[in-house]
């Protein structure tokens, strides 16, 4: 099987400043799209990240982190401060965020057309940069498959109805969409996640993935509904769990030859067994990540080992 994805990820980098009672602050490289790019590169894909990074300490930390995994970082040359988020963890390792972020991405000329494009989170909804992101996705999708994760941050989404409209536009442009049950409950507080996933599937994507933390995850596709349980794990923190799920899912989809140029028809005809395998890989990737501090997704060997144990 062709399992190299060589993707382009478009979106923000964020310095996560983790605050724990009685301890010094810890700074972890983060930002949902950057985490996905890092995870894909760790899994062996030649990943390019189009983003903004400032010429400051946080920017250098994130650049070094991404380079260590082999991510090629492209920026628009902006010189503002690197976005940051204060992350407060509760007694169960669950994270709450307070953001200091500007997102003003300008168009960048790419030397080669990607086979797959991933975007989401702040980058797809915060203006003026969101307009650049959407224009890039629209221009690239004729030759590439597209994935999207809304990764809802209520503090930055603005008024709900406008946020829903922006999210639904991204969903309609995508082949694969992943969201958490918490994302869906903020966007659609009066609907069950299953019902939202059904509507999203009808709006354009071939595959909709929904995560539920310890409750596991499910997916909807033309092959029906598939589901997996969460893997048993001792949680260090949940930072980056959804992003590791996303990179694990894309990695498995690539292994099944369901992403990339010419793969859209195969993805639309995907069977439930293949989707279940994708969910298994994604859940294992998330489980490895939550077992250690920060957004630290697995490499390919770690992912295989996690799957073998479960």
């Amino acid at each position: 099987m062709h399992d190299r994805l060589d993707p382009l990820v478009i979106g923000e980098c964020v310095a996560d400043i983790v605050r724990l009672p009685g301890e010094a602050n810890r700074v972890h490289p983060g930002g949902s799209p950057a985490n996905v790019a890092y995870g894909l590169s760790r899994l062996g894909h030649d990943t390019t990240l189009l983003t903004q990074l400032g010429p400051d300490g946080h920017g250098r930390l994130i650049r070094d982190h991404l380079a260590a995994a082999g991510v090629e970082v492209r920026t628009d040359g902006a010189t503002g401060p690197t976005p940051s988020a204060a992350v407060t963890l509760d007694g169960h390792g669950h994270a709450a965020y307070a953001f200091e972020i500007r997102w003003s991405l300008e168009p960048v000329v790419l030397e080669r057309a990607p086979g797959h494009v991933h975007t989401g989170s702040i980058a797809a909804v915060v203006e003026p940069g969101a307009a650049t992101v959407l224009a890039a996705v629209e221009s690239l999708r004729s030759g590439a498959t597209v994935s999207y994760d809304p990764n809802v941050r209520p503090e930055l989404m603005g008024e709900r109805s406008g946020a829903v409209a922006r999210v639904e536009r991204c969903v309609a442009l995508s082949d694969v969409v992943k969201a958490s049950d918490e994302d869906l409950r903020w966007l659609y507080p009066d609907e069950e996640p299953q019902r939202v996933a059904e509507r999203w599937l009808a709006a354009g994507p071939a595959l909709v993935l929904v995560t539920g933390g310890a409750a596991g995850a499910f997916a909807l596709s033309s092959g029906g509904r598939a589901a997996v349980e969460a893997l048993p794990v001792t949680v260090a923190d949940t930072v980056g769990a959804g992003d590791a799920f996303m990179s694990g899912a894309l990695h498995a989809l690539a292994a099944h030859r369901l992403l990339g140029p010419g793969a859209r028809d195969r993805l639309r005809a995907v069977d439930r067994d293949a989707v279940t395998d994708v969910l298994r890989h994604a859940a294992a990737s998330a489980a490895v990540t939550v077992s250690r501090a920060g957004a630290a997704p697995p490499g390919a060997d770690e992912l295989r080992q996690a799957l073998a144990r479960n």
Side-chain angles (χ1 to χ4, degrees):
M1 291 187 295
H2 175 74
D3 60 1
R4 293 185 65 79
L5 189 54
D6 302 336
L8 171 69
V9 179
I10 310 175
E12 73 276 2
C13 294
V14 180
D16 289 336
I17 305 166
V18 181
R19 296 173 176 169
L20 293 168
E23 297 185 25
N25 290 347
R26 299 197 308 258
V27 181
H28 294 294
S32 177
N35 291 341
V36 173
Y38 183 85
L40 285 169
S41 197
R42 290 263 292 147
L43 291 169
H45 302 281
D46 290 337
T47 308
T48 300
L49 174 66
L50 176 56
T51 191
Q52 291 184 306
L53 281 171
D56 49 26
H58 287 160
R60 289 189 292 275
L61 172 74
I62 293 172
R63 278 184 184 276
D64 290 348
H65 168 75
L66 293 167
V71 178
E72 179 184 347
V73 177
R74 294 289 307 278
T75 73
D76 64 355
T79 58
T82 298
S84 65
V87 184
T88 304
L89 301 175
D90 66 16
H92 303 287
H94 297 110
Y97 297 83
F99 296 95
E100 291 187 17
I101 288 178
R102 286 187 68 254
W103 178 246
S104 56
L105 187 72
E106 296 286 342
V108 174
V109 176
L110 300 170
E111 286 72 27
R112 59 186 175 90
H116 183 80
V117 179
H118 174 76
T119 192
S121 195
I122 294 160
V125 296
V126 172
E127 298 294 358
T132 301
V133 174
L134 268 290
V137 172
E138 288 174 335
S139 69
L140 293 168
R141 71 182 304 274
S142 62
T145 45
V146 176
S147 56
Y148 169 64
D149 176 4
N151 192 46
V152 168
R153 297 295 181 238
E155 305 91 335
L156 301 171
M157 299 291 283
E159 187 266 331
R160 182 180 277 110
S161 63
V164 168
R166 291 191 294 274
V167 166
E168 289 181 347
R169 182 182 175 196
C170 294
V171 168
L173 288 170
S174 301
D175 300 288
V176 178
V177 177
K178 172 255 161 191
S180 70
D181 55 355
E182 291 180 352
D183 293 336
L184 298 183
R185 288 196 173 99
W186 186 86
L187 291 164
Y188 310 98
D190 299 322
E191 287 189 79
E192 285 300 309
Q194 170 80 23
R195 174 60 185 145
V196 177
E198 291 169 354
R199 285 198 297 103
W200 279 10
L201 187 70
L207 180 63
V208 177
L209 308 165
V210 179
T211 62
F218 72 87
L220 299 183
S221 69
S222 62
R225 188 182 193 275
V228 295
E229 296 181 354
L231 275 62
V233 64
T234 300
V235 175
D237 67 48
T238 61
V239 176
D243 305 322
F245 185 99
M246 185 84 244
S247 57
L250 295 176
H251 176 66
L253 286 165
H256 284 278
R257 299 183 65 246
L258 295 171
L259 296 180
R264 190 165 277 136
D265 288 345
R266 290 195 298 274
L267 182 59
R268 293 205 169 279
V270 66
D271 62 56
R272 193 169 68 172
D273 287 346
V275 173
T276 300
D277 186 60
V278 168
L279 285 173
R280 287 181 60 250
H281 280 77
S285 180
V288 172
T289 302
V290 301
S291 72
R292 51 201 187 194
D301 287 343
E302 285 182 301
L303 181 56
R304 281 192 291 269
Q305 290 164 11
L307 285 164
R309 289 195 299 268
N310 295 276

